[in-house]
Amino acid sequence: MKVALRDDDTCYFTSPETLERVYHDVWDRLPVCLATVPFAVGYERKGIPQEQWRSGEAFALERNPAIVPFLKDQIGRGRVTIALHGYTHQDYPHGYEFQAAPDPERRVREGLQYLTSTLNAPISLFVPPHNAISKRGMQAVAGAGLNLLGSFLSFRPSMRAWDAHTLGNWWRIRAYRGATGRTKRDPLVYPHVLRYARHAEFGCHSLVPGTTVEELVAGFEEARAEGGNFCGATHYWEVDQAIKDVLLRFLDHVDRVPGVKLVTAESLFG
Ligand SMILES: [Zn+2]
C-alpha cells in the first residue's frame, strides 16, 4: 500500500521558513507534493498581505527571490515534488479559477511551462484551486498530459467529457458507495486511481482545522481494507501545532502497519 501527502498553495507569498517549520521533520520520512501556483493573485487568506487581497496583481513565483532556490534545493534532496496548482489561483465573481477563467487551456500550458523551467522539475500532476474544476478545465488538464489530484471531485458523467471510461468509472463509484453503505450525500474518497482516456485521477483526504487523527486513520484503514492507496491534503499556511500533531500521530500509525510505503504523490499513479 502507498501513502502520499500533498500540500497546496506554495507561491510567491510563501516563505521558505514557513515550509521548513511545517515539514522539517516530515519530508525526510515522506516526500511532500507541493501544489504550486506559478503566477499568484492574492485573495483573502492567512499568509497573504491584506493589500494584495483585492489588488488583482499577478506575482510570478521568481519575484520572491528566496523561494525558487529553496524549492530547487528541496527537490534535489527528494523532499518535495511539484504539482501545478492553477495559474493565478484567482477567484472570479462566478466561480473559482478552473471553473470560471475564460482560458483554462492557456493557463495550464503556460503554467506548466513556467514551473517546469523555473524549478527545473518534472511535473505530471494538476491540483485544481479550491478542488473545483469544470468539464472544460478538466479537458485542458488532460490535454496538457497531466493527471488530476483532487478532493471530492464530481464523478457525474454530466460534469465530464465523455470517453470510453466515463460510464464504467461512474458505476465503479456507485458500487463502492453501495458496498460501503454510503448514500450520495456521504463524503467519499475512492481509494483507487480512476483512469480516463487521456488522464487519471486520485482523491485525497483533507487535513484541515478540525480534522482528527481518528478520521485520517479511518480513511487509511478503509483504503487498506480495499487494497487501495491513501493521499492526505493540507495547506502549510494553516498548519498549526494541533494540525501538525494530527499529521505526526497519523504517520506513526502508518509506520506501525507492515507493507506500507511512504511515496511521492506522483507514484500513486504508477
Ligand atoms: Zn489552493
Side-chain angles (χ1 to χ4, degrees):
M1 179 180 185
K2 298 180 219 173
V3 169
L5 180 64
R6 139 192 163 211
D7 180 288
D8 293 357
D9 298 339
T10 288
C11 66
Y12 163 82
F13 298 109
T14 309
S15 77
E17 292 71 30
T18 314
L19 291 174
E20 189 88 56
R21 175 178 58 73
V22 174
Y23 290 118
H24 70 96
D25 52 354
V26 171
W27 51 26
D28 288 320
R29 241 171 129 178
L30 164 65
V32 184
C33 176
L34 296 178
T36 302
V37 186
F39 298 98
V41 167
Y43 61 103
E44 193 171 336
R45 75 145 162 93
K46 196 182 152 198
I48 297 182
Q50 204 167 343
E51 62 270 22
Q52 299 303 339
W53 286 357
R54 271 164 274 278
S55 72
E57 185 177 355
F59 291 89
L61 186 69
E62 68 200 308
R63 278 172 69 183
N64 175 338
I67 195 73
V68 169
F70 173 80
L71 291 175
K72 281 182 164 170
D73 185 42
Q74 303 308 327
I75 293 165
R77 293 166 188 259
R79 289 172 167 172
V80 310
T81 60
I82 304 293
L84 181 62
H85 188 40
Y87 183 72
T88 58
H89 204 297
Q90 75 201 90
D91 298 340
Y92 286 80
H94 51 295
Y96 295 127
E97 186 185 11
F98 269 74
Q99 297 172 302
D103 52 353
E105 299 80 10
R106 179 189 69 84
R107 285 167 185 258
V108 175
R109 196 175 55 241
E110 291 182 9
L112 180 60
Q113 200 171 36
Y114 177 80
L115 272 193
T116 306
S117 60
T118 304
L119 297 175
N120 196 21
I123 295 175
S124 63
L125 301 180
F126 183 88
V127 175
H130 303 278
N131 294 300
I133 192 160
S134 66
K135 191 191 275 196
R136 183 174 159 194
M138 211 175 262
Q139 282 174 293
V141 169
L146 298 175
N147 291 323
L148 261 179
L149 195 57
S151 308
F152 307 113
L153 297 175
S154 172
F155 302 104
R156 286 210 318 275
S158 66
M159 292 295 292
R160 301 172 162 278
W162 190 263
D163 71 46
H165 303 258
T166 313
L167 190 60
N169 285 340
W170 183 69
W171 275 107
R172 213 160 268 145
I173 296 293
R174 261 184 75 124
Y176 189 81
R177 274 211 179 91
T180 54
R182 287 179 168 92
T183 72
K184 266 186 171 170
R185 279 165 298 283
D186 294 320
L188 162 74
V189 181
Y190 187 65
H192 304 282
V193 170
L194 283 172
R195 296 191 190 277
Y196 292 85
R198 293 196 302 165
H199 79 286
E201 292 173 21
F202 193 78
C204 303
H205 295 255
S206 304
L207 171 55
V208 294
T211 304
T212 64
V213 70
E214 290 75 19
E215 285 168 332
L216 285 186
V217 165
F220 165 82
E221 289 299 341
E222 178 180 328
R224 184 157 80 103
E226 295 293 332
N229 298 313
F230 181 101
C231 187
T234 191
H235 305 95
Y236 67 90
W237 51 266
E238 65 181 4
V239 175
D240 56 9
Q241 199 52 53
I243 296 185
K244 182 65 187 283
D245 285 346
V246 170
L247 176 60
L248 291 177
R249 286 171 59 206
F250 172 70
L251 291 178
D252 289 342
H253 175 90
V254 166
D255 273 346
R256 288 191 294 269
V257 178
V260 176
K261 279 206 193 88
L262 301 176
V263 300
T264 63
E266 288 76 4
S267 331
L268 295 167
F269 294 85

